Amino acid sequence: MKHKRQPKRSYPVKSFLLSALLHIILIIALVWGSDFNQEKPKPVGSIVQAVVIDPQLVRQQAQEIKTRREAAAKKEQNRLDKLRRESVRLEQNRKNEEERIRKLKEQKAKDAKAAREAEKFRKKKEQQRIAEEKRAAKAEAARKLKEAAIAKAEKERLDREKAAKIAAEKAKKEQEAARKAEQERLAKEKAAKVAAEKARKEKARLKKLEAERKERERALNDIFSGLETESQQNSSARNHYVADQANRYGAIYTKLIQSRLLLEDSFKGKSCRINLHLIPAGKSAIVGSVKILKGSQPVCAATRRAVAQVNFFPLPNDPDVVKEIKDITLNVKL
């Protein structure tokens, strides 16, 4: 808001000077009028002349003098009244001018105050607008952060569900593979028990035959040779059993590893040959080291990761078989 131009401060000074001048003029006029109203004294001569005075003429002259004086006094009074009226008018004009100037100053002060109040109100509104914009921006940022957090939580939930589903499917496959492996183990153990029983019966029979032979051929030199041959045959059967058990457990280990492989289409028809060094720990063993011998590099890398996921490898009760499979070579085919 533009401020009105302030009136010049010379108005009160001019009014005062004008009033003082009028008073001076009035005083001079009064003094001047009184001087002219007085009759000039007539010179008195030393010559005395006898004059006949007419009373009627004297009265007439006196009346004329009185009339002239009254007319002059009235004229002077009218002039003084006019001067007083003019002085009053000028004084009133001065007061009116001062009042006008005072009102202008008051109006100017009011306008300035109103301008300050308007500016203060504008600044307050501007501050409120800025604060409102900041609150809106803060609320928008909080909303976006909340939406991002919700989206992140939803993604994490979906990822967890997906991972749980994959883990459940994997666990199901592992359980199925373990079940099949257990069935095969039991079947092989049963077959091994049958074979062991046959071997025991055969051994008993051979022992009996050996005893009979000893009874019949005690005196013959070839009895010892015959017994040595039979011992070698028994040793061969034992070696065959140990090798068979080692192959059986190698197949179990291979299936355990295959159940943990993340299969890809590019792996089909490929294989990886590895060597496992197992560390016995009770009825099972853990992997001490893995050595890649031959095969596709991606398949071998996946096989190494699958081996690390097998928590334990079952061990047989036969120490000879355990000794045979502690350092075993497997061929993982896909």
Side-chain angles (χ1 to χ4, degrees):
M1 178 179 177
K2 294 183 179 179
H3 294 289
K4 294 182 178 180
R5 187 176 180 182
Q6 297 182 353
K8 295 182 179 179
R9 299 182 179 273
S10 60
Y11 283 113
V13 178
K14 290 181 178 181
S15 299
F16 175 77
L17 293 176
L18 181 60
S19 177
L21 181 61
L22 290 173
H23 281 80
I24 293 171
I25 294 172
L26 180 60
I27 292 170
I28 294 172
L30 290 173
V31 175
W32 184 270
S34 61
D35 290 340
F36 278 92
N37 288 331
Q38 295 179 1
E39 291 186 358
K40 294 181 180 180
K42 296 181 179 180
V44 179
S46 60
I47 299 175
V48 178
Q49 294 179 356
V51 179
V52 178
I53 299 174
D54 186 357
Q56 184 66 27
L57 181 60
V58 171
R59 284 194 297 272
Q60 183 179 359
Q61 290 180 348
Q63 185 63 37
E64 289 178 357
I65 293 171
K66 182 179 179 181
T67 300
R68 285 199 300 273
R69 285 187 176 181
E70 288 177 354
K74 184 178 181 180
K75 183 177 180 182
E76 181 62 21
Q77 185 65 41
N78 290 338
R79 187 179 65 82
L80 292 175
D81 291 341
K82 182 177 179 182
L83 289 174
R84 279 195 294 272
R85 287 195 300 273
E86 184 66 20
S87 177
V88 170
R89 184 182 68 80
L90 292 174
E91 181 65 17
Q92 186 63 40
N93 289 342
R94 182 187 67 78
K95 290 182 179 180
N96 292 340
E97 182 66 16
E98 289 179 352
E99 180 67 15
R100 186 182 69 81
I101 292 171
R102 185 185 64 79
K103 289 182 178 180
L104 285 176
K105 289 181 179 180
E106 288 181 354
Q107 186 62 39
K108 180 182 177 182
K110 289 180 180 179
D111 292 344
K113 182 178 180 181
R116 288 194 299 271
E117 292 294 330
E119 181 64 16
K120 183 178 179 181
F121 181 77
R122 185 192 66 77
K123 288 182 178 179
K124 183 178 180 181
K125 286 294 184 181
E126 181 67 15
Q127 290 174 354
Q128 291 176 351
R129 182 187 65 78
I130 293 173
E132 185 64 28
E133 289 180 354
K134 288 182 178 179
R135 285 195 295 270
K138 187 176 180 181
E140 180 66 14
R143 183 186 65 79
K144 289 182 178 179
L145 287 175
K146 184 177 180 181
E147 289 180 353
I150 292 173
K152 182 179 179 181
E154 180 65 14
K155 184 177 182 300
E156 290 176 352
R157 183 186 68 80
L158 294 175
D159 291 341
R160 286 195 300 270
E161 290 181 355
K162 183 178 179 181
K165 184 177 179 181
I166 293 173
E169 292 177 354
K170 184 178 179 181
K172 184 177 179 181
K173 290 180 181 179
E174 289 177 355
Q175 291 175 357
E176 182 66 20
R179 186 183 64 79
K180 290 182 180 180
E182 183 65 15
Q183 289 178 350
E184 292 177 359
R185 184 186 69 78
L186 292 174
K188 288 184 179 181
E189 283 184 357
K190 184 178 180 180
K193 286 180 180 180
V194 172
E197 183 64 21
K198 287 182 178 180
R200 187 187 65 78
K201 290 180 179 180
E202 182 65 17
K203 185 177 181 181
R205 187 183 68 81
L206 292 174
K207 185 177 181 181
K208 183 178 180 181
L209 290 175
E210 179 65 19
E212 291 176 354
R213 188 168 56 251
K214 284 181 180 181
E215 287 289 334
R216 292 192 304 267
E217 301 178 356
R218 186 177 298 276
L220 300 175
N221 293 331
D222 58 346
I223 293 176
F224 180 77
S225 177
L227 291 174
E228 185 179 358
T229 302
E230 288 179 1
S231 177
Q232 290 176 353
Q233 290 176 351
N234 289 335
S235 178
S236 177
R238 176 65 179 171
N239 292 336
H240 181 75
Y241 171 76
V242 170
D244 184 64
Q245 288 296 304
N247 291 333
R248 173 175 168 269
Y249 275 88
I252 293 174
Y253 297 166
T254 301
K255 289 183 178 180
L256 286 175
I257 295 170
Q258 288 175 335
S259 68
R260 287 164 173 79
L261 275 172
L262 296 177
L263 300 179
E264 297 182 8
D265 293 339
S266 61
F267 290 176
K268 291 182 179 180
K270 297 180 181 180
S271 63
C272 181
R273 189 172 181 82
I274 62 173
N275 177 263
L276 295 182
H277 176 68
L278 301 178
I279 301 174
K283 294 184 179 181
S284 61
I286 59 175
V287 177
S289 64
V290 182
K291 185 177 181 181
I292 305 298
L293 301 178
K294 184 180 180 181
S296 171
Q297 184 175 357
V299 175
C300 289
T303 302
R304 184 187 290 275
R305 290 193 295 270
V307 170
Q309 294 178 11
V310 178
N311 295 326
F312 63 88
F313 291 86
L315 291 177
N317 296 324
D318 194 322
D320 292 336
V321 180
V322 173
K323 183 178 180 181
E324 184 70 18
I325 64 176
K326 279 185 1 180
D327 192 69
I328 187 169
T329 298
L330 303 175
N331 189 27
V332 181
K333 294 182 179 180
L334 303 176

